[in-house]
Structure formats: structure tokens, C-alpha cells
Amino acid sequence: MRKIYTDELVTELAGKLGTDPAAVKQALKVLVETIHKGIGDDGIVKVKGLGTFKLTDVEARESIDVNTGQRFTIDSHQKLTFTPDAAMKELVNRPFSAFETVTLNDGVEL
């Protein structure tokens, strides 16, 4: 999966819209700030056609340091999750729509 950086996204959007990259960068900044504010206010932001950003609680859990083998506790915290809207999911999955499900049986070697 390829990363796309903000400047690259701004350049691509500005080219497709035929507008000034500075205006696109400002609009993108305002979009992110609006989502951030909505998450802070309500813990959830739904953007029709894109998806839902939501804060979810993660319980404390025990883990092991792979370098030392020592056990430690990861404190409970919140994380931001994203669930794509049905339209976004359809757009992303469209290239794979011609694939067929293949059931693999136990004991079959490939």
C-alpha cells in the first residue's frame, strides 16, 4: 500500500479541480480541523460518502517486551477508528468484484 503525503494530495486535487493548490491546502486543513473538533465534542463524526470517524475505548491489557521477555501493562486509552461509508467501500472493492470465492478444504496442499 502506498502512502500519499499532504502535498501530493493537494497537488492532485488542485489539478483535478483546476484550482489554486493553496486554496485546496486550506480546505483540507479546515476539513481535518472540523473532524478533530467533532471528535472532541461528540466522539464521532460521520462524513456522507466517506465514512465515520469514532473514538473507541481500549481496555488495559498485558503484553510482553519482545526484547527482554518482561511482562508489562498497556494502560487503557481511546483510539480513533474509521469505518468507510457503503459508497466508499463499494468504490474501493470494485476492482475485486469479479473475483470468486474459493473454498479450501482441510488437507489440501497448494
Side-chain angles (χ1 to χ4, degrees):
M1 182 166 96
R2 177 173 99 74
K3 288 183 181 180
I4 184 166
Y5 295 95
T6 304
D7 289 341
E8 189 179 354
L9 179 61
V10 165
T11 301
E12 187 161 337
L13 289 173
K16 287 186 177 189
L17 295 170
T19 190
D20 178 39
V24 172
K25 191 169 190 169
Q26 182 63 27
L28 190 57
K29 180 180 174 187
V30 170
L31 173 65
V32 170
E33 288 172 354
T34 303
I35 291 170
H36 188 265
K37 182 180 181 323
I39 292 293
D41 292 347
D42 302 323
I44 188 169
V45 173
K46 292 183 180 187
V47 181
K48 187 173 174 113
L50 181 62
T52 302
F53 297 88
K54 181 179 176 183
L55 278 180
T56 56
D57 294 322
V58 178
E59 294 182 16
R61 65 188 187 278
E62 200 172 90
S63 188
I64 298 174
D65 185 324
V66 295
N67 296 316
T68 65
Q70 258 186 329
R71 293 187 168 278
F72 67 97
T73 300
I74 299 172
D75 293 334
S76 63
H77 59 280
Q78 290 185 313
K79 70 177 181 178
L80 183 65
T81 60
F82 174 75
T83 305
D85 189 62
M88 176 63 75
K89 193 183 286 189
E90 147 78 33
L91 181 68
V92 169
N93 289 320
R94 189 175 301 142
F96 309 103
S97 63
F99 289 7
E100 292 182 23
T101 302
V102 176
T103 303
L104 299 177
N105 298 320
D106 287 336
V108 174
E109 291 186 34
L110 299 175

